[in-house]
Amino acid sequence: DYLITIRKPMDYGTIASNLEKGHYSPHSSDSPSSSENNMDAMEDIVLQALIDIEQVHHNCFLYNEKETPYYRAGEVQATKWKAYYTKHIKERLPDTVQSSLAAFQKSCGAERRAKGSPGRKINVLTDNNVRSKPLAVFDPNTKRIVKQYSSKTAARTAALMLYDAGYACEWPLSQSNITFRIAGAEDPTKCLFGYQWVPTEKLKRGNFKVKTYFRNDHLEPPTSNNVVILKEDTVSGTKLRGFESEESAYNDWADEMRGSFNARVDQEEEDPGSGNTLNQSSEFVRNYLDGGKSINGIVWKRVDHPNDDVVSVALTPRSPVGKVVMEHTALSSARKGKSEENALD
């Protein structure tokens, strides 16, 4: 149904080919500019190329649902392009080109709002014409959605097929207990095939439990003084997690690599023989930790501690419900507490 939803398919490869082969023609029928804009030939060609880049991002947001990896990848690409455009291109463009591009961006936004968000919805009806509720298969370790079924009936059928095919499962499954087991698999302690099976609506709201992490109350929680590497989402600006060693950060990076198709393809193209752990560890340190590369906007960077006596950020273990919690502890509060203890003494 892609060509039904998307009126003008576009990709980076086509844009590059059009530029190389001179397929962008000034004041052509496909040109978004008009004679009243008084653009010269080169300005018109530049505008066509810029609009096609915007078309790539618009098509992604229009077709894919927000919760999918494809939509997030589009957000990452759009954010990177916007930063590059603002820093290196925008100020060099005449006002006529900027205004025409802004008008196109506005029309794209209006089209997406008119279509609704998320962009593409699939409503599945049962035999009784009752709308089914989609179910997502959620990995409690990597915190990723690995599969989504259009209805609970489809999920039950799939689970039985996996069980009959010999896949390892925590519980025996049958027609008589599958409904009960699927409903219970929302709990991270009652997974099926290692995954939680959670209604998609609950996932969207964050109204579900996730796997708890081991915590020993006698151990000191990680602080900014012993965290040497920080994992950050550059798209949202969120600090996701702190690591006390390169090894623990590498293990986390490896999990992200396994969950990212684009990252795996990029690595294979750069180094086809990078399958062993030693090469991958070197790849992480060289290109990601010290080289600034990212996986879908996720970066790992070293943390400098110019003053080891200062405690400004504490990274707490993951909460049983929801996302990572970042606690910011003010230095003045720490000093105040210490002063009060001295006064009592």
Side-chain angles (χ1 to χ4, degrees):
D1 62 342
Y2 187 81
L3 294 179
I4 297 176
T5 305
I6 304 303
R7 294 177 298 174
K8 183 183 178 182
M10 186 54 59
D11 60 83
Y12 295 142
T14 299
I15 297 171
S17 177
N18 287 343
L19 289 169
E20 291 172 358
K21 297 178 181 179
H23 288 174
Y24 289 120
S25 301
H27 308 301
S28 67
S29 58
D30 294 332
S31 174
S33 66
S34 62
S35 58
E36 62 188 36
N37 285 332
N38 297 321
M39 291 186 191
D40 61 31
M42 183 55 67
E43 291 171 352
D44 194 6
I45 290 174
V46 169
L47 177 61
Q48 291 180 55
L50 291 174
I51 282 182
D52 278 351
I53 293 174
E54 293 294 333
Q55 187 76 50
V56 173
H57 307 147
H58 173 59
N59 290 348
C60 177
F61 301 144
L62 191 64
Y63 182 77
N64 296 294
E65 294 189 23
K66 286 188 176 181
E67 291 76 16
T68 63
Y70 308 106
Y71 193 100
R72 173 170 170 75
E75 286 183 312
V76 172
Q77 291 297 322
T79 300
K80 289 182 177 180
W81 166 249
K82 183 178 180 180
Y84 183 87
Y85 168 81
T86 302
K87 184 175 181 180
H88 299 289
I89 299 177
K90 184 176 181 180
E91 294 302 321
R92 301 182 181 182
L93 299 176
D95 292 340
T96 52
V97 174
Q98 292 190 40
S99 60
S100 295
L101 182 61
F104 178 79
Q105 293 169 332
K106 184 177 180 180
S107 67
C108 289
E111 183 178 3
R112 293 197 293 271
R113 288 191 295 273
K115 190 172 182 61
S117 178
R120 183 168 54 102
K121 295 182 179 180
I122 301 177
N123 295 324
V124 181
L125 301 180
T126 63
D127 294 337
N128 297 324
N129 279 340
V130 177
R131 184 167 295 161
S132 298
K133 296 181 178 180
L135 194 76
V137 182
F138 181 76
D139 188 332
N141 295 316
T142 64
K143 305 297 183 291
R144 293 178 180 273
I145 298 174
V146 298
K147 182 70 177 177
Q148 185 164 264
Y149 294 100
S150 59
S151 66
K152 291 183 178 180
T153 301
R156 290 194 292 267
T157 302
L160 286 173
M161 291 177 63
L162 291 171
Y163 184 78
D164 292 340
Y167 286 87
C169 185
E170 296 82 350
W171 317 90
L173 300 181
S174 65
Q175 289 287 355
S176 60
N177 71 5
I178 186 61
T179 300
F180 166 76
R181 288 299 182 194
I182 288 288
E186 182 180 334
D187 190 323
T189 64
K190 300 177 182 178
C191 292
L192 291 181
F193 307 103
Y195 299 117
Q196 291 175 248
W197 299 57
V198 186
T200 302
E201 284 301 318
K202 285 192 173 183
L203 269 178
K204 291 179 180 178
R205 297 194 302 266
N207 184 25
F208 67 102
K209 294 181 179 180
V210 298
K211 182 179 179 181
T212 56
Y213 283 73
F214 168 79
R215 180 177 181 180
N216 188 332
D217 290 333
H218 299 292
L219 297 178
E220 190 174 319
T223 69
S224 64
N225 289 337
N226 52 26
V227 169
V228 297
I229 296 172
L230 193 64
K231 178 182 181 182
E232 184 175 345
D233 186 340
T234 58
V235 177
S236 64
T238 304
K239 294 178 176 60
L240 300 177
R241 187 177 176 186
F243 304 94
E244 299 182 44
S245 67
E246 284 188 7
E247 181 181 3
S248 58
Y250 162 74
N251 291 332
D252 181 76
W253 169 83
D255 288 338
E256 291 285 351
M257 285 288 290
R258 283 189 289 270
S260 172
F261 173 77
N262 289 334
R264 294 199 307 272
V265 170
D266 290 344
Q267 185 188 35
E268 290 171 0
E269 289 178 350
E270 294 176 4
D271 186 2
S274 60
N276 61 68
T277 302
L278 181 60
N279 285 343
Q280 288 184 341
S281 178
S282 300
E283 161 80 5
F284 168 64
V285 174
R286 182 177 66 254
N287 291 336
Y288 289 83
L289 193 55
D290 295 331
K293 287 187 66 175
S294 68
I295 299 178
N296 293 334
I298 303 297
V299 297
W300 293 258
K301 55 187 181 182
R302 300 185 188 275
V303 178
D304 295 326
H305 302 295
N307 185 352
D308 289 338
D309 294 330
V310 176
V311 179
S312 57
V313 181
L315 304 179
T316 66
R318 295 177 186 260
S319 167
V321 179
K323 300 182 179 180
V324 180
V325 178
M326 302 293 296
E327 292 185 353
H328 295 267
T329 305
L331 177 61
S332 59
S333 298
R335 288 176 174 170
K336 180 179 179 182
K338 188 173 182 179
S339 300
E340 291 175 352
E341 289 179 3
N342 294 337
L344 292 174
D345 293 339

